[in-house]
Amino acid sequence: MTHALLDAHKTLTELREEREDQGRNPSLNPTMGDIINHRFSRRSLLTGSLAVAAIASTVSPLALLAAKEAKAATASAFDFDEIEVAIEESHFVAPGYDASILLRWGDKVFADSPEFDPMKQSAEAQLKQFGYNNDYVGFVPLEGSNERGLLVVNHEYTNAELMFPAWAKIGKDKDGKDKVEWGEHSPEQVAIEMAAHGGTVIEIAKNDGKWAPVLDSKYNRRIHLGTVMEITGPAAGHLRLQTKADPTGKKVLGTINNCAGGVTPWGTWLMAEENFNGYFGGEIAEDHAEARNYKRYGVPAGDYVWAKFHERFDVSKEPNEANRFGWVVEVDPTDPASTPKKRTALGRMKHEGAESFINKDGRVVFYCGDDERFDYVYKFVTRGTFNPNDRAANMSLLDDGTLHVARFNADGSLDWIPMEHGQGGLTAENGFESQADVLIEARRAADFLGATKMDRPEDVQPNPKTGKVYCLLTNNTKRKAGQEDAANPRAENAFGHIIEITETDGDFAATKSRWEILLKCGDPSVAEVGASFSTATTKNGWFGMPDNCVVDADGRLWIATDGNNEKATGRTDGLWAVDTEGEMRGTSKLFFRVPVGAEMCGPQFTPNAETMFLAVQHPGDAGLATYENPATRWPDFRPDMPVRPAVVVVTKVTGGKIA
Ligand code: FEO
Ligand code: CA
Ligand code: CA
């Protein structure tokens, strides 16, 4: 059912995205617009029936065997029945699967949590309840179980207009068109927002075929803006990280805008701090020592009013606080008393995620995207090696290693350029006195190294089965004609693309790799879009704006999208399964779709691939959405309940592996 509200103006999320993603990279790194022969990697696709028919025309047993193999090669790695795109008030999953609500905003995290009462929400209650806008979802098995484990969930941001009753109203913009107008924030509302950010650790278990939270678990924890965190690694304690409240430069309260993330091989949870700039207000003098740094990160953006209530978010009063955000935070979910660590060795940026792989030499490699138009892809290689028998030793791996930034060359080679103080212009004369400066201003450091300006890097996901790495570029409508390059081949790239990286000889620490484009996204039936899905992809199978992804136990790729906004594409966001091997490479199929206004986040599997977790973020946020008038009241569909972001758990009705 098409929702009438969809015809209204841009949503707040869209407006926020536009403001967030203007692109703040002023460097002169080439966009390689002068490269004429773009390196497209669309593979010629022999249809399955033709391939089999050609071989089956002979009769020898060998040929029959070959025919069998050919048939296998032309089959998709996925066997579910594709669903149709639609814009509806509820979610929808492929036939034969169950998609149930596991945890909603406001749900109890502890046995003594108060019941969710949206008309009387308080910060005190919110601190004991599931936070807002679930994004990354990780699963840490307990005692090796696939039916009992810790779910770790990031709560990226808040939608005040959908959270607070009788607060946002419909007003008029300067052209006389309807728009959503925010009310004034009370101190209590700001406190609720701060409590709804961060993350949740919650034990979950499957009993009688049904997953549910274990509320009296000793592991359950809420992380929020008041959680004490330690800053570690090469920039810890640096002058630029010291504030009035923390002269040590090593202790910070909370984490914000935790987008995607990762679970390390030693079972810790990584929360990536993304659009941290939006939380800062005030003004910084143009000649201030941090002015150049803050400009590069878009600080302050003033999306939130927290600066009015908390000096530390006002850059004119506390000019160093914004240097304490934009990091990857490591949390030990098995110890609720542990202090989360902001790991400065991975650099400061708008971190999307931090997925990892144990290299063949034992070092651990983490891939990170910096989600802004024209920003970069990074990888961090630990100095030390993973020790499966010494978890305590693994806990410091993220404090020492080498951060690299990616240069995608037109010949299909990829340079991972080490970001080391003193090398390649990262010197005192350019404002880098030490490695700490390189990490605090990772973006500006990468500018000097000739990194490739990408179309908004989101998840970067290694595939342990194949040794490939998938890099999701969500879109970049600001790339102008003439600014295309081999790795970002479309101007006004509205639908994004996916790059496949092959690390040399399976060495994930390699500094010279190869790359090719797996998919250029968008509607392949519209020639001007220039999409490159395989011809076996149906009208439901294509997608735009790839954002999060997961690789399942069989090495198969699943893509979650953000921004298939209903008006432009006739579809909501969802989860698509993408073949990467054989002749079906580049074929995509729709498995799950979100309710109207939502973004698809999370995708995660239990190790046995029998359970999938999906995060439905900002549902109902379409058109002129307010608390009273959301685009859907998913998932409760009760007039006395607001629309609520929630984690969905997917299982096969008959049991067994998904798809
Ligand atoms: Fe929070 Fe880049 O998505
Ligand atoms: Ca994302
Ligand atoms: Ca992911």
Side-chain angles (χ1 to χ4, degrees), residues 135 156 259-260 274 352 371 458 547-548 562 599 601:
D135 196 309
E156 188 186 25
C259 190
E274 196 192 22
E352 176 72 22
D371 183 5
E458 302 263 17
D547 185 340
N548 300 129
D562 168 19
E599 161 183 353
C601 300

Side-chain angles (χ1 to χ4, degrees), residues 9 89 98 105 122-123 141 145 253 321 336 402 405 413 466 478 536 576 583 585 645:
H9 308 300
E89 294 194 8
D98 180 70
W105 166 49
S122 67
S145 173
L253 280 182
E321 186 73 357
T402 306
V405 67
S413 66
T466 61
K478 304 282 190 243
W576 278 265
E583 289 176 3
R585 180 177 160 92

